[in-house]
Each structure stands twice: as C-alpha cells, then as structure tokens.
Amino acid sequence: MKIPKFHTATYFLIAILALAAVLRFHHINQPLVDVFSWRETSTAMMADYLAALLYVIVGQQDWVGRSIAIMFGLWGIFALYKLVRRVWNEQNTLASAVVMALLPGSIFIERSFLPDPVMVALVTTSFWMLVVYLQTECWRYLLIAAAVGCWGFLTKITGLIVGIPMMYAMLTILGRQNQLHPRKLTTISVAAVAMLVPVIAYYLWALHLSLSYPPYHFAGSGNWLWGLSPWWGQHYFVGELIKNFYYWLWTGPVILLVGLGLLVRPPREKREQKAAKAPWLFHWWFFAGMVYYFVGAKELVDNPWNFYLINPAAAALAGHGIIIIASFTARMARSPAPPISSAFALDGHIWASSFEIYV
C-alpha cells in the first residue's frame, strides 16, 4: 500500500491544530467558576448534546463539557481552513487558521462549557460542504451540508445568520458557472427546506413549552429588537461593544487587521479558478454579523459569547490583513522569504502583544 505524500500545508495545519489544542486544554479540570459561570452551569444542568452520554462513562466531571467544546472548536478551525481554501488560496488559508487558533476570545469560549463552539463548528462545516457541492455538483455534499447545518441550527438557532453569506456563495458560484437555472435552484431549495423543517418544529415546540409551563420564560426573549428608541437612548451599547472586542474577544491588533481585511480587495483569483470562487464571502459573513448586532445588540453585549459566531469571518479577514502586511514588508525589504513565512512571524508577534492585554 502506498503511503500518501503530505503537502507542506498539511504539516502547517497539524502544527496549528496542535498549538490550538495545547492552549485550550490548559487547566481543563477547572470548575465552572469563570466569567461565564452562570451560562456554563445552565448548560451543565441540561447536559445537552454529548455531555450526558459521556457522564454515563466517566461520571459527571466539569472537564467533560469543556472537552466537547474544545474538540468541536478544533474541528471548526479545520473546517474554516477547508472553507477558505475553497474560496480563496493556500496562503490565506493557513493565515486564517492561525488567527482562529490564537484568537483570545476563541480560546476562552472554546474551553467553556457552552453550545457556541459546537454550533459554529457545525455551521462552518455545513458552509464548507455547500461550497464543495456548488463547485463539484456532487449531490452527497449537499446532503451532508443540509444534515450538518440542521444539527448546528438545532444546537443554537442564531447560526441561521450564516444563511446570508451562504446565499451570496450560492448565487456567485452558480452565476459564474452559468448554472442559475430552475432545476439547480429547486434542488438546493428542497435541501434547505428539509434542513429547516426540524429546526422550526423544535423551536416552535420550545416556544410552546415556555408559554405553557413555569417559569414561562423563553431564553433571551427580552434582549432582541422590538423598538429602536430604548437602544438609541443607550447609544446602541457601543461602549460595551468596544470594551468586549478590545479587551478580550479580538484585542486591538486583531481589530486593526480585521479592518484592513475588510477595506482591501479579497485575494486575487487565478483566471482558471474564477468561476468556482466566492471572493467576498467573508465580507458578507461579517455583514451578517452586523445584521445580527442590529437586531440583538442587548443580547450580544450582555452575553458576549454570542459574538463567537462571527469569529470565523474575523479570522479569515485578519489572516488576509496579515498576508497583505507581510507581502508589503517583504517587497519593501526585498526579502526572498515567501509571504506566508513573514505572515507567521507577524502573527506570532500580534498574538503575543494581544495576550499582554488579554492576561
């Protein structure tokens, strides 16, 4: 049997995932007493997704829930790597994975007993499978995208905002391939309906229970937009928003990199690949995050782990910003080093400076 040859990028990815695992498994036995303790305790009481099954084997341990979140977080980095590779290029792929692995808010949230790392990993995987289907027309990828997406939206319904960049990717890739015809759109629509029916049914049932049984409460029901006046009076919580992002979710250097990634054009496409790419995908994902904040600002600033849903887009945009800076620096210094090497050096410096603020 022939042993497959590993591409250099594969070794980089393994190293990135190993580093991400080390950072996240640190103090894995810590009790649920950190800043998100009330939400983690609530999750632990319900023992949702896989935790209850593992409790039967190893007992009710705090590290179980944390480990599940970490494992899905690591898979989310891998899924983001694959998604960026499908819509951009190899250099940006690795830079994006590094940023997602080292992002302070990602590390903290992914080692917390929360459903968000599970939901985001599943939604990113669904997005990746959808793009593969659009590029290859292999129907099994569409089935996987629908099944995994359904699982992700059932884990947490806010994942539905990624439907905005998904729609962009579908229209862009099919449009470039001249495949925006009724048959193709009908196939995708049927898959979308099959994915959403269980989600809608589940949350309607949850709403029914909240109206029928004490304490008659639907989680987060008071934190969503019903009128602009009260929020405008509080400046749309911009002060709390800046504090959350600057001090721990992203930190100052990453905010600057995300801004740079938003302002410049996406990576240039090779002529033979243009039909299969969706270059503005992560800009649209970021825009979806802005829509999310518009309708749920109170929920987001009060419970900032909800911002985790835009971290994959932020990682991709910040990674693009790193590549731009590294390429410019290499040209100015007339360095023979490839941009990705300079990018990793820059990323390490930014991570170190970020954690000075974070710690």
Side-chain angles (χ1 to χ4, degrees), residues 72-149:
F72 274 93
L74 295 176
W75 176 262
I77 296 172
F78 175 77
L80 177 64
Y81 170 90
K82 289 291 189 179
L83 177 60
V84 177
R85 191 174 187 180
R86 283 280 172 177
V87 299
W88 280 357
N89 58 41
E90 192 71 59
Q91 289 184 346
N92 285 83
T93 291
L94 291 168
S96 302
V98 171
V99 175
M100 191 66 179
L102 300 180
L103 209 57
S106 290
I107 294 172
F108 193 87
I109 293 170
E110 287 172 17
R111 65 181 309 278
S112 301
F113 194 177
L114 299 171
D116 299 76
V118 180
M119 178 269 288
V120 172
L122 293 172
V123 168
T124 306
T125 303
S126 176
F127 206 157
W128 163 33
M129 290 291 101
L130 174 64
V131 171
V132 175
Y133 164 73
L134 295 172
Q135 293 174 341
T136 65
E137 299 185 61
C138 184
W139 62 268
R140 69 172 176 270
Y141 293 114
L142 181 61
L143 294 180
I144 296 172
V148 176

Side-chain angles (χ1 to χ4, degrees), residues 232-345:
W232 280 123
Q234 300 181 63
H235 308 290
Y236 231 82
F237 314 105
V238 171
E240 293 90 338
L241 176 70
I242 294 173
K243 182 172 67 175
N244 282 333
F245 276 94
Y246 182 81
Y247 285 105
W248 72 275
L249 275 169
W250 292 355
T251 71
V254 177
I255 291 173
L256 293 176
L257 287 171
V258 171
L260 178 61
L262 282 169
L263 292 175
V264 300
R265 291 181 60 85
R268 292 185 177 181
E269 309 161 77
K270 294 180 181 179
R271 183 172 299 177
E272 65 273 13
Q273 295 177 331
K274 284 189 176 182
K277 300 291 185 178
W280 298 93
L281 185 152
F282 295 105
H283 291 73
W284 277 95
W285 193 327
F286 194 87
F287 169 74
M290 295 173 63
V291 173
Y292 187 22
Y293 186 76
F294 178 76
V295 300
K298 186 70 165 59
E299 173 69 16
L300 288 166
V301 297
D302 285 352
N303 304 309
W305 56 82
N306 289 292
F307 282 118
Y308 180 72
L309 183 54
I310 62 173
N311 273 7
L317 293 168
H320 185 41
I322 289 171
I323 293 294
I324 292 169
I325 294 173
S327 299
F328 177 78
T329 303
R331 286 197 301 269
M332 293 298 293
R334 296 181 179 179
S335 170
I340 191 63
S341 301
S342 303
F344 282 148

Side-chain angles (χ1 to χ4, degrees), residues 102 104 250-254 257 318 322 325 343-356:
L102 300 180
W250 292 355
T251 71
V254 177
L257 287 171
I322 289 171
I325 294 173
F344 282 148
L346 177 62
D347 212 354
H349 173 72
I350 290 170
W351 172 75
S353 61
S354 297
F355 265 75
E356 288 178 5

Side-chain angles (χ1 to χ4, degrees), residues 28-49:
I28 192 62
N29 289 318
Q30 178 185 337
L32 305 179
V33 295
D34 40 29
V35 70
F36 298 152
S37 58
W38 78 264
R39 184 64 177 92
E40 292 180 285
T41 303
S42 173
T43 305
M45 286 191 298
M46 294 182 288
D48 60 359
Y49 47 96

